[in-house]
Amino acid sequence: MNPKMGNLIYAGKAKDVYETDDPELVIVKFRDDITAGDGVKTENFVKKGFYNSIISSKFFEVLEEAEIKTQYIKLIKPGYMLCKKLEMIPLEVITRNIAAGSLLKKFPFKTKQELNPPIIQMDYKNDEYHDPMLNDSITIALDLANQEQLDMIRDITIKINNVLKDFLLGKNILFPDFKIEYGFDNHGNIVLGDEISPDTCRFWDSKTSEVLDKDLFRKGESGVMDAYIKVASRILAKEDLKKWNIENLESEF
Ligand code: UDP
C-alpha cells in the first residue's frame, strides 16, 4: 500500500515535495510549469508533469538496474513519484558529451564539438547568485561537500552518463548534456535525486539532430510537448505504460 500524502514541504520551479505518513518517504509531484533563465521566463504546458514523471521514472529504473543508488521507489501514478527522503546537496552536476548551450557562450568550443572525455561541471544551485560555476576548493570552503564526497559524485556521474548515453543511443537519441542533483540519505550515503527529463537534459535525434528538449521553450519555438512525448514514446516500452494503465502516449495528451 502507498503511504498517505501529507503536507507540502518544498516547492521548486517545476516540482513539489510532500511529506508522507512514513518519515523516510516523500512524494514528488511533477507540475506543468516550465521556466528558463533563472525563472524569468515561465509558462505552463498541459500534461508536462505527466510526461516528465514517466520519463524520469524510466531513467531511474534503468539506473537502478545498473546498480546506481537513486531516491526513486516507484511512480504511484503519472505525475506522482514515491521517493526516499534525501537531504539535497545544492550542486547542479552537469555532464557534457557534446558542446552546447552556456558552454559555447563561456568558452571557445565549437558548436556540436565532441567532448571526449566528457566534461563534468558543478554549479552552485543558488538563484540569488545565478548558479555560478564552482571548483572543488570553493565547494569545500562553502561546506557543500568534502573532497571524498566530490570524488564519489564524479565517479557516480561518469557511470550514470555511460549507462544513459548507451541506453539513449539504442533509442536513436543523442545525449549532449544533462544536469543531475544528489542528496544524502539518512545513512549518509550519496544518492541520486531530483529528475532526469527533457527539462534537465539535452536530447537530439541521432539521425536528424531534431531537438527533443526544453531548448525549444528557451528559444521560443513551438512543439515543446510534441518533443517531450516523442522522448517518452521512444524510451518507454509497452509494459512500462501498462503499469500505469496508459494505452498509448499520444492519446494521453
Ligand atoms: N540545466 C538544468 N538546470 C539549470 C541549468 C542547466 O537542468 O539550471 C541543464 C540543461 O537542461 C542542459 C545542461 O544542464 O541539459 C547544461 O545546461 P547549460 O549550462 O548549457 O545551460 P543552458 O544553456 O541550459 O542555460
Side-chain angles (χ1 to χ4, degrees):
M1 218 184 52
N2 294 320
K4 227 175 102 203
M5 192 152 147
N7 293 324
L8 177 73
I9 47 176
Y10 173 81
K13 293 200 193 90
K15 298 189 297 301
D16 292 328
V17 182
Y18 291 87
E19 63 185 3
T20 69
D21 53 4
D22 181 333
E24 297 201 1
L25 301 179
V26 291
I27 292 172
V28 177
K29 180 186 175 196
F30 286 69
R31 301 202 317 268
D32 291 341
D33 306 282
I34 189 163
T35 72
D38 273 351
V40 175
K41 185 175 157 136
T42 69
E43 220 180 295
N44 192 281
F45 286 114
V46 174
K47 286 227 156 178
K48 191 203 63 143
F50 175 105
Y51 288 101
N52 272 1
S53 71
I54 61 175
I55 292 169
S56 282
S57 101
K58 179 67 187 181
F59 285 133
F60 283 136
E61 284 169 9
V62 167
L63 291 172
E64 287 280 350
E65 269 166 39
E67 287 174 9
I68 289 162
K69 287 199 193 91
T70 80
Q71 76 170 156
Y72 173 79
I73 295 175
K74 68 176 199 175
L75 208 56
I76 296 171
K77 61 178 180 182
Y80 294 83
M81 191 182 279
L82 184 63
C83 294
K84 277 178 218 134
K85 188 172 185 173
L86 299 182
E87 191 198 321
M88 294 305 290
I89 309 169
L91 292 177
E92 301 203 330
V93 183
I94 295 170
T95 306
R96 300 176 183 278
N97 296 303
I98 304 174
S102 71
L103 191 74
L104 298 172
K105 295 191 187 126
K106 291 184 181 145
F107 302 100
F109 289 105
K110 294 192 191 78
T111 303
K112 297 194 177 173
Q113 181 177 333
E114 248 188 74
L115 305 166
N116 196 7
I119 292 175
I120 296 186
Q121 166 196 336
M122 298 198 199
D123 290 355
Y124 183 24
K125 188 177 160 104
N126 187 319
D127 281 342
E128 195 188 333
Y129 289 86
H130 308 291
D131 300 347
M133 197 186 293
L134 294 164
N135 65 23
D136 284 10
S137 318
I138 300 174
T139 308
I140 293 164
L142 282 171
D143 209 14
L144 305 178
N146 63 33
Q147 190 65 61
E148 195 193 337
Q149 291 162 342
L150 286 174
D151 293 343
M152 200 177 286
I153 285 173
R154 269 194 204 93
D155 285 350
I156 305 171
T157 302
I158 290 167
K159 193 165 177 202
I160 290 172
N161 184 42
N162 288 333
V163 170
L164 294 186
K165 200 165 42 139
D166 288 351
F167 170 75
L168 284 162
L169 206 51
K171 314 285 176 192
N172 292 327
I173 297 175
L174 291 180
F175 200 30
D177 56 37
F178 64 102
K179 184 265 307 178
I180 47 180
E181 296 179 26
Y182 292 91
F184 295 110
D185 67 10
N186 55 7
H187 307 288
N189 299 310
I190 291 177
V191 175
L192 179 70
D194 196 46
E195 71 183 292
I196 304 177
S197 76
D199 272 8
T200 59
C201 303
R202 286 195 166 89
F203 297 127
W204 296 344
D205 184 290
S206 62
K207 293 193 177 119
T208 65
S209 291
E210 181 189 354
V211 172
L212 300 171
D213 59 64
K214 191 164 107 171
D215 263 351
L216 294 167
F217 171 69
R218 291 192 188 97
K219 293 177 182 156
E221 288 172 21
S222 59
V224 178
M225 281 319 300
D226 289 343
Y228 284 41
I229 295 169
K230 233 179 232 180
V231 172
S233 319
R234 286 204 202 171
I235 70 166
L236 289 150
K238 277 229 156 55
E239 306 84 75
D240 297 317
L241 301 179
K242 239 188 234 153
K243 281 189 283 189
W244 310 309
N245 298 319
I246 302 172
E247 270 297 313
N248 73 73
L249 283 167
E250 283 72 15
S251 68
E252 285 297 324
F253 189 60

